[in-house]
Amino acid sequence: MTFAREKRLLLGWLAVLVPLPLPFNDVLEWTFLLAYWLALAVFLYRAAEGAESWLPNWAMNLIGLAYLPVIYLDLTRFWGDQILRPLLHLAGFALVVKLFALRREAEKWHLFIGIFFFFLASMGTSVHPSVLLYLIAFLSLATATLIEFAALHFMARFDRPEGRLGSPPIGRLLAGSVVATLVLAVALFPVLPRVGTPYIVAGGVGGGEARVTSSGFSDVMSLDGIGRIRTNEAVAMRLKYPSAPPPRHELRYKGATYDLFEGTGWRRSPRREEPLRPGDFGYFHLADGKPSSWVDVWLEPLGLSNLFIPVEAVALDVRSPYLLLDEGGAVVAQMHSLDGISYRVALGEGPSSAARPPDESSNALDPSGISPRIEALAAEVMGDTGSLLERLRRLERHMTDSYDYTLDLLGRNADHPIEAFLFEDRRGHCELFASATVLMLRSQAVPARLVTGFLGAERSPLEDYFIVRNSNAHAWVEAYLPEHGWLVVEPTPPAGRPTAGAGTLWLKALQAYDYLIFRWDRYVLTFGAADQIGLLAGLRDLFDGLKVALFGDRDDGKAIRPAETGEVLGLDEPSEGRRGPARQASAWWIVLALTALLVAFWSWRRRPRFDATRAYRTLRQRARRRGLELPESLPPQAVVERMKKTWPESSRSVERILERYLEESFGGRRLTGEEIDEIKRQLRNAGQSMKKAA
């Protein structure tokens, strides 16, 4: 008796569930998974029908040999750059073939190991919180399968006839096992060694919303690049200000600068400044100015090695081996493209730039793309009266007032897209406004460059931080004036500038979802060794605080130097009447009292519940102490008859206790509170009758 049909069904359903997250993670194709499920459907149908003919070993070996060319092509032509995908193809194929060839009892454990490999691949490539639902489902089904295996093995040993069997009552055991496993996993998670994410490098890692979401920023910016980025609502960065953003600060975040115009797009200057050096306090100095506040930034992986920083930044605190500044003052950091990064930025009183003043060789004056028509228009709009700043603002107003904003990708195929924007279409998106402004400023000998980043943010009501989405992507201009340095020039009309969305129900739902994703990313995916050290330090501080509260501060009289002020505060020496021993004595009384309360509570919780069974056992113990012989083998009715003969006055009480005991122990009825009170009275009456007779 092996119950082969039931075991095949259990393994088949487990195999159906286990690879579910893989196509969402872009680790396995849907076509392969559908073919895999189709084969399993055939297997489950045959197993449910009780089929007896399954693949012999020679057929299984022939099928394995036929698969060799497939795996060769998988590794060399199709997925050679993703070793995990061919391995999963092989594992799925082997799992299906092995299911159809399952004959011996020991082979079910081989299949279980193959299923577990799929489970590791699914968990190791998943970074979305929804993987918790998958984990709970797999744990439940796998635990139920193992329990069923044990039950089937037990029944087979006692020659239980095969057939359709009722499921064993494993609901509570299953729920308790899964909950205990999850609780243990949560408890061990903070102390286990850290590994990087994703745990298995594959084509993509996600599950609903991939964590690796490249926004589209790159070293080359086409004239429609920002427009394409702004169609993506994914979160790009989050910022935590100490309070509301300082007044006069607009939420503008600089990411990359472009100096070289190439007709249909921009390219970053190949020049690089010297690496930034941290100062005395470990901060990287960016621009002159006194910090007025700090902002914490969490930047998602955007496919660009630049850090996005507020335009008011004067200093930067980031864990990076070194930082570089490009010619436009954008910050370049060494970081892995799959990882987000967190850093702090010191804000000055107003916009500033880390870029150096341009020299004669600066690409900010590169004449590429400047045509006679563009130069003539710039000269006409800016004029030759007033200061250079006034002339620059005239051009800025002309761009915002004389042209319309649209997301339609106009002029991309024109021979001269900037001229088509200025003189023909007269409408476009922010890259065209910024590009045209840069070329016109350069035509008037004003150094200028294109800047890309983000503009605007929405405030999350769940945890007072600001959310910047890819839809906040924007392009603007930086221009250099000798008297003012590098200035932000905004040529895009207000209608084309990104703004925070209205407080709609959909936006609130997105913010709630972002809150969940952010917490998952912060405390699960990126929980690292530094967090573990911080957790241990927090436990140490908690223990020290408890020790001080119970036993007093042994460092009384010593100077304390607050980190905030740097001042030294001397504490008076405590008098003899209120120093250590007295405080320690009172603390010991507190400890003893708390211990006594815990012991009393534990004893109260551990005491057996009073019921008819307890009353019957107590009655037997009292009768033995009175000298009545009551062997353990004596049935309850015989016990009562002996007690009635010995103590006739207790007959009624003894009979009532026996009745309730039989109802509870053999009738399966739970006694009510009134019935338990009656049992207590009858037990007291029987005890009094025994005492009187003595």
Side-chain angles (χ1 to χ4, degrees):
M1 305 301 176
T2 62
F3 298 98
R5 170 185 173 276
E6 285 72 19
K7 293 173 184 176
R8 287 191 176 100
L9 288 174
L10 290 171
L11 288 169
W13 284 113
L14 195 60
V16 168
L17 171 68
V18 70
L20 183 59
L22 293 172
F24 294 102
N25 301 340
D26 195 26
V27 180
L28 205 61
E29 318 91 274
W30 280 106
T31 52
F32 177 85
L33 188 61
L34 292 175
Y36 171 83
W37 278 339
L38 181 61
L40 288 180
V42 174
F43 168 79
L44 289 171
Y45 174 78
R46 297 189 76 247
E49 293 297 318
E52 297 182 358
S53 60
W54 298 96
L55 285 178
N57 289 337
W58 64 265
M60 183 174 61
N61 293 333
L62 283 179
I63 294 174
L65 290 174
Y67 187 75
L68 289 178
V70 177
I71 193 172
Y72 173 78
L73 293 175
D74 236 3
L75 290 170
T76 57
R77 296 194 58 181
F78 299 140
W79 307 105
D81 58 335
Q82 298 181 30
I83 187 64
L84 181 60
R85 196 180 299 252
L87 288 178
L88 288 175
H89 291 167
L90 175 61
F93 169 80
L95 189 60
V96 170
V97 173
K98 194 68 176 176
L99 279 169
F100 278 93
L102 178 61
R103 291 175 177 276
R104 293 180 299 175
E105 177 73 13
E107 290 176 349
K108 71 177 186 293
W109 300 115
H110 303 164
L111 284 165
F112 205 89
I113 293 173
I115 291 171
F116 187 69
F117 174 80
F118 262 107
F119 169 73
L120 292 180
S122 297
M123 290 298 298
T125 57
S126 298
V127 296
H128 195 267
S130 60
V131 73
L132 289 178
L133 299 177
Y134 167 79
L135 174 61
I136 294 173
F138 181 81
L139 278 178
S140 302
L141 187 55
T143 305
T145 299
L146 293 175
I147 295 174
E148 292 273 5
F149 278 174
L152 294 173
H153 180 73
F154 178 81
M155 288 185 287
R157 291 183 60 187
F158 289 90
D159 291 332
R160 173 69 182 268
E162 297 194 45
R164 296 189 178 273
L165 304 173
S167 298
I170 61 174
R172 292 185 179 181
L173 175 61
L174 180 62
S177 301
V178 173
V179 170
T181 301
L182 294 176
V183 169
L184 182 63
V186 171
L188 292 178
F189 176 79
V191 297
L192 290 176
R194 302 293 98 190
V195 295
T197 55
Y199 312 115
I200 300 176
V201 177
V205 286
E209 178 190 50
R211 181 171 183 268
V212 181
T213 54
S214 176
S215 69
F217 291 103
S218 65
D219 289 338
V220 177
M221 177 58 62
S222 65
L223 293 179
D224 59 358
I226 296 296
R228 286 185 282 106
I229 296 172
R230 287 178 67 171
T231 61
N232 186 352
E233 290 289 335
V235 174
M237 57 191 298
R238 302 171 181 88
L239 301 101
K240 178 78 171 179
Y241 288 87
S243 57
R248 299 179 300 167
H249 284 228
E250 62 177 345
L251 301 180
R252 188 184 295 268
Y253 309 102
K254 180 178 179 178
T257 64
Y258 302 88
D259 298 291
L260 302 175
F261 184 69
E262 298 181 328
T264 58
W266 291 84
R267 183 163 52 86
R268 299 175 67 177
S269 173
R271 293 181 54 186
R272 288 288 185 270
E273 302 292 345
E274 292 296 324
L276 284 171
R277 303 295 182 186
D280 296 336
F281 298 99
Y283 308 140
F284 293 93
H285 176 75
L286 298 178
D288 295 332
K290 182 179 180 181
S292 59
S293 62
W294 286 84
V295 58
D296 295 302
V297 182
W298 292 270
L299 180 66
E300 292 295 313
L302 300 180
L304 190 68
S305 58
N306 284 43
L307 300 184
F308 287 73
I309 59 176
V311 294
E312 302 87 2
V314 296
L316 182 63
D317 180 14
V318 60
R319 291 181 179 177
S320 178
Y322 61 91
L323 300 178
L324 296 173
L325 279 180
D326 66 12
E327 188 175 352
V331 179
V332 183
Q334 290 294 110
M335 63 182 191
H336 198 283
S337 61
L338 294 180
D339 296 331
I341 187 172
S342 62
Y343 48 95
R344 300 175 68 231
V345 181
L347 304 180
E349 295 296 333
S352 58
S353 177
R356 295 180 180 178
D359 53 29
E360 295 180 356
S361 62
S362 174
N363 289 318
L365 283 171
D366 181 63
S368 301
I370 301 175
S371 67
R373 295 179 70 189
I374 293 176
E375 184 176 0
L377 178 61
E380 177 186 349
V381 172
M382 296 179 66
D384 54 6
T385 60
S387 65
L388 189 55
L389 178 60
E390 292 173 340
R391 296 173 60 207
L392 184 149
R393 295 308 180 194
R394 285 192 203 120
L395 176 60
E396 186 179 44
R397 287 193 299 271
H398 172 77
M399 298 300 297
T400 58
D401 297 342
S402 303
Y403 297 88
D404 296 326
Y405 180 83
T406 179
L407 281 176
D408 295 336
L409 303 178
L410 302 173
R412 288 188 302 168
N413 299 323
D415 294 335
H416 302 286
I418 303 301
E419 287 193 6
F421 162 70
L422 289 173
F423 304 109
E424 298 172 16
D425 301 321
R426 301 188 67 83
R427 60 195 183 102
H429 35 85
C430 61
E431 302 99 306
L432 292 173
F433 281 89
S435 299
T437 303
V438 170
L439 297 184
M440 286 194 286
L441 286 172
R442 289 181 177 181
S443 72
Q444 301 302 303
V446 178
R449 60 171 59 94
L450 181 77
V451 182
T452 60
F454 298 104
L455 178 63
E458 63 194 50
R459 192 165 196 162
S460 172
L462 295 175
E463 188 182 6
D464 203 20
Y465 60 79
F466 285 81
I467 298 173
V468 178
R469 302 184 184 275
N470 284 335
S471 56
N472 291 100
H474 191 50
W476 64 92
V477 177
E478 278 186 353
Y480 182 80
L481 303 184
E483 301 85 359
H484 304 280
W486 289 100
L487 298 178
V488 172
V489 180
E490 181 54 85
T492 303
R497 301 172 193 171
T499 57
T504 62
L505 182 62
W506 174 246
L507 180 62
K508 294 184 183 301
L510 286 178
Q511 291 173 343
Y513 178 72
D514 175 73
Y515 176 81
L516 171 66
I517 293 295
F518 183 35
R519 289 295 156 195
W520 171 263
D521 181 86
R522 174 64 186 86
Y523 294 111
V524 178
L525 298 182
T526 60
F527 188 89
D531 297 292
Q532 290 178 310
I533 295 173
L535 180 63
L536 294 176
L539 292 175
R540 181 198 61 193
D541 294 341
L542 180 64
F543 177 77
D544 290 343
L546 180 63
K547 184 174 67 174
V548 169
L550 293 177
F551 308 114
D553 189 358
R554 296 176 182 242
D555 294 330
D556 287 348
K558 294 185 179 181
I560 299 177
R561 184 182 299 275
E564 293 84 1
T565 62
E567 298 175 354
V568 177
L569 304 177
L571 301 181
D572 295 334
E573 184 73 10
S575 61
E576 196 66 32
R578 54 185 176 91
R579 67 163 57 239
R583 294 171 68 180
Q584 291 182 17
S586 62
W588 276 113
W589 280 112
I590 294 174
V591 172
L592 290 175
L594 291 175
T595 304
L597 287 174
L598 289 174
V599 171
F601 177 76
W602 180 81
S603 301
W604 177 77
R605 292 286 294 176
R606 292 284 294 175
R607 81 188 196 287
R609 175 182 173 273
F610 191 88
D611 52 15
T613 301
R614 183 179 174 188
Y616 172 72
R617 291 175 179 172
T618 302
L619 193 63
R620 290 185 60 140
Q621 291 172 358
R622 289 178 180 178
R624 284 198 190 99
R625 286 198 295 266
R626 299 292 178 184
L628 185 64
E629 184 179 355
L630 297 173
E632 290 293 335
S633 60
L634 201 64
Q637 189 65 49
V639 171
V640 170
E641 293 298 329
R642 288 192 182 187
M643 293 177 66
K644 288 167 59 178
K645 290 180 181 179
T646 306
W647 299 289
E649 296 182 1
S650 67
S651 297
R652 176 61 182 165
S653 299
V654 171
E655 287 178 350
R656 292 296 294 166
I657 293 174
L658 176 64
E659 290 175 6
R660 296 304 185 193
Y661 168 66
L662 294 177
E663 290 178 6
E664 183 181 77
S665 298
F666 299 97
R669 189 172 74 85
R670 188 179 181 87
L671 302 184
T672 65
E674 294 179 355
E675 291 171 335
I676 290 177
D677 291 338
E678 179 198 1
I679 291 298
K680 291 180 179 179
R681 289 195 302 269
Q682 300 297 349
L683 186 62
R684 285 195 298 268
N685 294 338
Q688 291 172 359
S689 299
M690 293 177 184
K691 288 181 181 179
K692 289 179 182 179

